[in-house]
Amino acid sequence: MEPGTPNVAQGGDEQVLIGVIGGSGLYHLDNLTFVKSVNPETPWGFPSSPITISSLPSGTQVAFLARHGIGHHINPSNVPSRANIAALKSLGVRVILAFSAVGSLREEIAPGSFVLPNQIIDRTKGIRPASFFNDTSVVAHTMFGDPFSEGLLRWLEPRVRKALGEAARVGGGEERRLFTGKCIVCMEGPQFSTRAESQMYRQWGGDLINMSVLPEAKLAREAELSYALIATATDYDSWRPHSEAVTAMEVFKTLKDNAETSRRVAATILDELQQAVTGADADLFLEEKGCMKFSIMPRSERQKPEDRQKLAFVLPEYFAGEEGVDVGSA
């Protein structure tokens, strides 16, 4: 595929509308039939891993991407998030469910808990390109007050809660708790927090901490895609004064069980999500559509055609077509 030329991939007669980004420990989904693997080249390079297009028993097709690459070989700061989001949109994806392991900054959010956060505090350090408009002659200021898709979060809450109950009944053991309305801190890494930082994040109002939600959520918004994070707590970070600081070994103990439950949750809700995205409530998942129309600064003679062509890959709504099309009226 030529960079700058979006391509809507279809398998059979059904368009791929749902993308799943798997985080640490979640490198594949269960109960799916492999259809094909694609690796779209974007103007920002190739995604973290080839994207697996698979089919649920109903025929619903899902695009799965491993955020840290197959075998987990990509450092959080080096994840090619622009390529990941652009590649998913080029396949026709409208809704992204992202999974991520997180640390808990609150006693009640015990390891093993699931969380649907609704706010983010950015503690990354400018190492990661956070916009499709970086290094271009086109300027855009994107609305990001509510960083996750509110309609998608409302839709997910009862269904994830139900799926966690079903996962407990099928797999045995105690039902995982689900928390909503929480704030996640995204830090740079790859080191974990100091105790002082962990305490500071709690004072700021942070409930969770991870290294992956940004710039992923920002880029999904720029691409006008509906995006939500399903976070799974693996540890208590480093804020507890009489506990050991978090270590990778501690995280790995919980990671495997969390990933297994995440796969069961995904298998339970993906079919229903496909039906919702294509049904009478489809507008619920299109709240981001059109949000960039008034975020992009008006076209000027200083905008380079090659930059507009590059942006057309992820925002054909505003940059594709005739060369003289005005961005503000597209």
Side-chain angles (χ1 to χ4, degrees):
M1 182 189 304
E2 289 294 325
T5 307
N7 176 54
V8 176
Q10 294 188 345
D13 296 326
E14 187 160 1
Q15 188 175 340
V16 182
L17 301 177
I18 300 169
V20 177
I21 299 178
S24 299
L26 185 61
Y27 306 120
H28 67 276
L29 296 177
D30 293 337
N31 302 320
L32 297 178
T33 301
F34 176 82
V35 175
K36 61 182 175 179
S37 178
V38 296
N39 196 25
E41 183 178 8
T42 78
W44 302 275
F46 289 96
S48 295
S49 67
I51 298 172
T52 301
I53 310 255
S54 298
S55 175
L56 290 164
S58 65
T60 293
Q61 295 198 354
V62 178
F64 180 84
L65 187 154
R67 182 187 290 116
H68 297 284
I70 297 170
H72 200 117
H73 63 93
I74 303 175
N75 184 300
S77 300
N78 298 327
V79 170
S81 295
R82 290 187 295 183
N84 289 348
I85 298 299
L88 287 171
K89 182 162 184 181
S90 76
L91 299 177
V93 165
R94 291 187 204 165
V95 176
I96 294 177
L97 284 185
F99 287 82
S100 179
V102 301
S104 169
L105 298 172
R106 302 294 166 186
E107 189 71 38
E108 65 272 19
I109 305 176
S113 299
F114 277 60
V115 189
L116 293 173
N118 68 341
Q119 278 298 326
I120 304 173
I121 294 174
D122 189 353
R123 281 285 290 165
T124 60
K125 299 177 179 177
I127 296 171
R128 317 170 184 199
S131 172
F132 290 112
F133 295 86
N134 280 12
D135 304 319
T136 74
S137 57
V138 182
V139 176
H141 299 285
T142 309
M143 182 174 62
F144 201 59
D146 297 302
F148 300 102
S149 302
E150 293 183 298
L152 178 57
L153 287 176
R154 288 194 301 272
W155 186 92
L156 283 170
E157 180 181 355
R159 291 161 180 86
V160 172
R161 203 177 296 280
K162 180 181 177 182
L164 288 173
E166 291 178 1
R169 285 192 291 275
V170 172
E174 188 177 346
E175 182 175 334
R176 307 294 184 94
R177 291 187 67 185
L178 174 67
F179 295 86
T180 60
K182 301 300 182 181
C183 178
I184 184 167
V185 178
C186 187
M187 63 179 291
E188 190 62 61
Q191 298 84 2
F192 293 122
S193 307
T194 67
R195 291 190 187 276
E197 289 170 333
S198 195
Q199 289 286 3
M200 179 181 69
Y201 299 146
R202 280 167 50 82
Q203 292 172 11
W204 284 359
D207 302 299
L208 312 165
I209 185 164
N210 88 332
M211 303 177 190
S212 299
V213 70
L214 294 176
E216 197 171 271
K218 290 183 176 180
L219 295 164
R221 180 61 52 84
E222 285 190 347
E224 298 188 344
L225 298 178
S226 190
Y227 176 94
L229 181 74
I230 299 178
T232 57
T234 58
D235 57 86
Y236 275 119
D237 204 47
S238 299
W239 58 270
R240 290 167 124 199
H242 303 296
S243 298
E244 293 293 324
V246 62
T247 65
M249 183 176 295
E250 180 186 355
V251 169
F252 291 146
K253 289 178 184 177
T254 312
L255 203 58
K256 184 176 179 181
D257 287 342
N258 282 359
E260 180 62 31
T261 305
S262 293
R263 280 191 285 272
R264 287 177 176 165
V265 168
T268 303
I269 66 175
L270 286 175
D271 251 337
E272 193 174 351
L273 180 57
Q274 172 79 7
Q275 293 168 16
V277 170
T278 57
D281 295 326
D283 287 349
L284 188 68
F285 307 95
L286 295 175
E287 61 187 275
E288 282 69 39
K289 188 173 178 61
C291 71
M292 293 300 294
K293 182 173 184 178
F294 300 109
S295 299
I296 302 167
M297 300 302 288
R299 184 171 182 175
S300 75
E301 67 278 1
R302 291 182 179 270
Q303 290 184 4
K304 299 176 183 177
E306 58 268 30
D307 289 341
R308 293 177 61 81
Q309 181 182 5
K310 182 179 182 179
L311 291 165
F313 187 93
V314 73
L315 286 170
E317 301 88 341
Y318 309 110
F319 295 101
E322 295 297 325
E323 189 176 345
V325 170
D326 185 359
V327 173
S329 60

